[in-house]
DNA sequence: AAGGCGGGGGT
DNA sequence: ACCCCAGCCTT
């Protein structure tokens, strides 16, 4: 492998920069957030791209920029609007952090996205990666960044053994990234984007396209036939199956939904159908009755299945059975939620719901439209 | 249906 | 320096 001391003042770093930038000019994808270097747009796109792929992000980004075109608009927005705009992207703390950071920018940074790494790092939701991305892409500073793509590209390029997400290799990769971006000082933002673009489109996790790679001649993993072995990421734990039920309680052509409390561990402030895990030894029907009573104080039993939603989140593979419960008895009260409401299926569209519950809501709407039309 | 991917925050 | 996080896409 090429040592850091060699790389720092070596022609190798400049050769890598030249080859990568020449490739990037020809192969960069035209993406909405690349049309301007507005720091706000760069920041929003980076937050959206953190755990979500480019193709998914594009329509969200465009809607977001229409709805919240600048820091001040975002800071002043209602949280429910922010969550609604983020709905479907997942990991909703990203959206809440975005708005919290916007508020701080209004209070402490003259309503602008700060440029210094330290000021960026102090903002909620901005860690080492995002700070480097904003500083280099939006402000042209020679700051490094390391994400999953960079881990993979540099692990291969320099044939680095070990887990890139753990010390000591983690620190070494940041050092390599810093040395490389410093050697590409004329265009640090483009260099960093080129590194990630290469990882996303050529130096892919599986079946990398080495024959199309501008760095193939310099790649130590290719030379040593280690491309498929690197990076050395640990195997993930297997997903745990979880069985859950959701209740679609109906009354007067409306359905019952609850808004989670602000301190809920996840989906805080969002709207969900009453739901609970089916504990071992418990029947789904019992789980439905139980959660309907504990959430809203209503008594009722499931009559039919609305739909079954299968989705995976982190290390859980969830099967969510949605049960229709007709005319439950009692007056709905917000017991374990911040607010409980009967909504017409059409009105559900205005609420911020996580993806699995949005699927149920869409099904409820299409069922009700079918019933009304027949 | 199963497997793969990831940056930030909290401890 | 860990561990955890409640999604989506590809195979």
């Amino acid at each position: 492998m090429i040592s850091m001391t060699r790389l720092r003042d070596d022609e190798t770093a400049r050769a890598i920069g030249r080859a990568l930038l020449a490739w990037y000019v020809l192969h960069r994808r035209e993406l909405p957030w690349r049309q301007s270097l507005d720091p706000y747009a760069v920041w929003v796109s980076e937050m959206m791209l953190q755990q979500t792929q480019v193709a998914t992000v594009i329509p969200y980004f465009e809607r977001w920029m229409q709805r919240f075109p600048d820091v001040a608009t975002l800071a002043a927005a209602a949280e429910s609007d922010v969550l609604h705009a983020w709905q479907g992207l997942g990991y909703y703390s990203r959206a809440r952090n975005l708005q919290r950071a916007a508020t701080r920018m209004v209070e402490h940074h003259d309503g602008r996205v700060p440029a210094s790494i330290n000021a960026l790092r102090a903002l909620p939701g901005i860690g080492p990666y995002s700070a480097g991305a904003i500083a280099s892409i939006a402000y042209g500073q020679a700051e490094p960044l390391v994400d999953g793509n960079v881990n993979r590209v540099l692990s291969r390029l320099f044939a680095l053994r070990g887990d890139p997400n753990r010390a000591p290799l983690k620190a070494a990769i940041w050092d390599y990234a810093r040395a490389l971006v410093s050697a590409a000082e004329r265009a640090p933002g483009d260099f960093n984007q080129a590194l990630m673009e290469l990882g996303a489109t050529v130096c892919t996790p599986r079946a990398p396209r080495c024959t199309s790679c501008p760095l193939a001649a310099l790649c130590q993993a290719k030379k040593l036939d280690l491309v498929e072995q690197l990076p050395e990421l640990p195997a993930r734990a297997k997903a745990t199956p979880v069985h859950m039920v959701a209740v679609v309680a109906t009354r007067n052509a409306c359905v019952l939904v609850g808004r989670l409390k602000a301190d809920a561990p996840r989906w805080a402030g969002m709207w969900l159908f009453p739901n609970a895990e089916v504990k071992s030894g418990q029947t789904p029907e019992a789980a439905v009755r139980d959660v309907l009573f504990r959430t809203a104080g209503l008594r009722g039993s499931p009559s039919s299945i609305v739909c079954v939603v299968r989705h995976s989140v982190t290390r859980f593979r969830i099967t969510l059975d949605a049960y229709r419960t007709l005319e439950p008895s009692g007056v709905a009260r917000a017991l374990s939620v911040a607010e409980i409401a009967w909504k017409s299926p059409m009105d559900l569209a205005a609420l911020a719901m996580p993806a699995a519950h949005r699927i149920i809501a869409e099904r409820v709407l299409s069922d009700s439209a079918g019933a009304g039309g027949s």
Side-chain angles (χ1 to χ4, degrees):
Chain A
M1 78 186 234
I2 298 168
S3 72
M4 270 305 301
T5 47
R6 243 193 82 198
L7 184 62
R8 204 181 310 277
D9 48 20
D10 201 31
E11 172 61 16
T12 305
R14 287 189 294 276
I16 290 168
R18 280 195 302 271
L20 205 48
L21 285 168
W23 171 84
Y24 186 60
V25 166
L26 296 176
H27 297 282
R28 61 179 278 168
R29 294 169 288 182
E30 283 310 318
L31 303 172
W33 47 90
R34 284 181 176 163
Q35 288 175 8
S36 85
L37 292 182
D38 172 16
Y40 173 72
V42 171
W43 170 45
V44 169
S45 70
E46 289 299 337
M47 296 303 293
M48 288 186 172
L49 287 164
Q50 265 176 22
Q51 283 122 325
T52 313
Q53 300 192 354
V54 165
T56 308
V57 164
I58 289 172
Y60 281 92
F61 175 81
E62 294 187 322
R63 284 196 298 269
W64 185 282
M65 294 303 288
Q66 291 288 320
R67 201 161 174 180
F68 313 112
D70 51 43
V71 170
T73 307
L74 177 58
E79 190 193 48
S80 57
D81 287 341
V82 173
L83 291 172
H84 191 257
W86 200 270
Q87 156 179 259
L89 278 177
Y91 295 102
Y92 297 89
S93 62
R94 289 184 291 168
R96 278 186 287 273
N97 282 337
L98 210 39
Q99 191 179 27
R100 282 173 55 210
T103 305
R104 301 256 291 266
M105 289 175 194
V106 167
E107 290 170 354
H108 301 298
H109 300 287
D110 212 16
R112 284 193 283 266
V113 179
S116 83
I117 287 281
N118 287 342
L120 288 165
R121 281 298 313 275
L123 294 166
I126 298 183
Y129 164 79
S130 303
I134 296 165
S136 65
I137 298 170
Y139 292 111
Q141 300 178 61
E143 291 289 345
L145 59 73
V146 176
D147 73 344
N149 289 310
V150 176
N151 271 337
R152 188 169 56 255
V153 171
L154 297 188
S155 288
R156 287 172 175 166
L157 184 57
F158 301 121
L160 306 175
R161 311 301 294 248
D163 180 348
N165 290 312
R166 297 174 80 98
L169 185 52
K170 185 174 177 174
I173 289 181
W174 276 92
D175 287 343
Y176 279 104
R178 183 175 296 282
L180 290 173
V181 77
S182 299
E185 62 185 275
R186 290 222 303 240
D190 280 347
F191 174 82
N192 282 338
Q193 291 187 84
L195 207 51
M196 295 189 285
E197 192 90 335
L198 189 75
T201 62
V202 173
C203 194
T204 49
R206 278 156 304 167
R209 301 163 49 216
C210 296
T211 52
S212 307
C213 181
L215 303 181
L218 298 161
C219 182
Q220 297 300 300
K222 187 165 190 302
K223 185 174 165 188
L224 300 169
D225 196 23
L226 288 172
V227 174
E228 302 285 351
Q229 278 79 56
L230 299 177
E232 294 180 344
L233 294 169
R236 291 216 172 196
K238 244 205 232 168
T240 306
V242 176
H243 185 193
M244 298 188 74
V245 291
V247 189
V248 180
T250 64
R251 175 179 288 173
N252 300 329
C254 288
V255 295
L256 187 75
V257 285
R259 184 168 58 82
L260 298 197
K261 295 177 178 174
D263 63 352
R266 45 191 170 260
W267 304 316
M270 299 184 73
W271 291 85
L272 286 81
F273 296 95
N275 67 94
E277 183 177 350
V278 181
K279 297 294 193 316
S280 68
Q282 189 182 31
T283 63
E285 289 74 14
V288 165
R289 285 190 295 269
D290 188 56
V291 73
L292 184 59
F293 186 71
R294 282 190 296 103
T295 306
L298 297 176
R299 304 275 188 193
S301 295
S303 59
S304 62
I305 289 266
V306 176
C307 60
V308 177
V309 182
R310 290 183 183 82
H311 62 126
S312 293
V313 286
T314 64
R315 55 181 227 276
F316 301 105
R317 195 171 60 247
I318 298 167
T319 305
L320 178 62
D321 300 336
Y323 283 92
R324 192 178 298 282
T325 300
L326 303 171
E327 306 296 336
S329 60
V331 175
R333 290 170 294 151
L335 297 183
S336 59
V337 289
E339 183 182 353
I340 198 95
W342 294 100
K343 296 278 185 182
S344 79
M346 207 122 62
D347 289 344
L348 292 176
L351 306 178
M353 307 179 93
H357 289 252
R358 174 57 60 201
I359 291 170
I360 298 171
E362 292 298 328
R363 183 56 186 263
V364 168
L365 178 60
S366 63
D367 286 356
S368 70
S374 62

